[in-house]
Amino acid sequence: MSSTAVQAPEVTHWRNAVVVAYAASGIAFASWVSRLPAIRDGLDLTPGTIGLLLLCMTAGSFLSVSASGLIVLRLGSKRTIRTGSIMVGIGLVLAGFGTSVLASPLAVAAGLAVIGLGTASWNTASNVEGAAVERAVGRHIMPRLHGAFSLGTVTGAGLGAWAAGTGVPVFWHLAAAGLVVAGSVTTAARWFLADVTPIGRDSTYRQDTFEDPITGPIPVIRQGAETSEAPLDNKRKIAQAWRDKRTLLLGVMVLGLALAEGAAGDWVALALADGHHQSDAAGAAGYGIFVTFMTVGRFAGTVVLDRFGRVPVMRWCSALAVAGLALFVFAPVPWLAYTALAVWGLGASLGFPVGMSAAADDPAKAAARVSVVSTIGYGAFLCGPPLLGLLAEHVGILHSLLAVMAVLVVSFLLSPVARKEPGPSGRRHNNGRGGNPS
């Protein structure tokens, strides 16, 4: 590699900075979620009004992720991540101020909406940045980046529990979290490099491949010759991504695994309490088991993907998620239900990371395609669990989860779309073991 190319120390700083962005997103999410009981008590809310508050965040998130491709293409991933983290920091402060000082549900709703607007575009841009780091280091590190998000949620939840236990007012807790999140991300973003390795007609960079004996050829951005591809305006790039068959199928594949993750977050504790007759504390512990094994799966994902490739891993993940869900629903004794949560968590762990990596195989189209897959995946993550609640009114919480199993079967059948796209020579990259393209 030439002296003007990205050097190893720069890549290391870049990777660590992206880890900070993912972890900070998890801390931000868990900070306000962990204080929902205090917000409920401080505003004297009913379950219905809590649902309306959460709907404000869902609406903000979905609006933001739908526009995230245009935003990233317009601002670049660095500015999008910085702007998103600042918006999330402001939203946390506003939600805390609305709870502890104003005692206003409207102010809290506005804060959650701002958090949703900032988070979704920030997460899409982080996936674009993370995919660029993955190409630079030549390994499947996206699962570990998402694992950093999971660790962030564990940290944020722990700090939230401590704040609640020691009586720290919601405002001071969320204000401190907002400052830490915004400050750490805006500082870390100085090492982001995805925006300075462009590929396009006017670029001074070319795309080479790094030949790894396990993963196969992986794109690496280096300075050199121009490409011949004509540039597209941002709206056409997004429209083209929405018409791309592989991108849409990737979105559907991610949809099933994202729904499996989102359903666990919203319904596992209640399903254990109502369906398996466990205490509320035991229900919360069950969700902790799910999150723990999902985090383990994400950190193990790099090694597993490097060894076996995307397609076999996605098949196993979908199959594990189906098996875990089935065992959870039909477990005759509680201990089997808790075992099922571990299997379910492992199965759901790699859907988002692998989907983002696969969508970003072509660096020139990464932002547009990642935004499409993110929109479909986050749509399932945000909107699917409330729909399960409506179904649960008729069939019960446990049996409503069977709908998730049906979607996971589709994810299993679509696993081959995660295979790497053809390289410059027109052949597919072989990044699986034993000659299996994946």
Side-chain angles (χ1 to χ4, degrees), residues 68 72 76-78 80-81 120-130 370:
S68 60
V72 174
S77 55
K78 177 190 288 190
T80 301
I81 292 169
S121 291
W122 168 9
N123 287 343
T124 297
S126 292
N127 286 321
V128 172
E129 196 77 32
V370 166

Side-chain angles (χ1 to χ4, degrees), residues 267-281:
W267 294 111
V268 157
L270 286 173
L272 284 168
D274 297 349
H276 291 292
H277 310 294
Q278 300 296 292
S279 67
D280 289 347

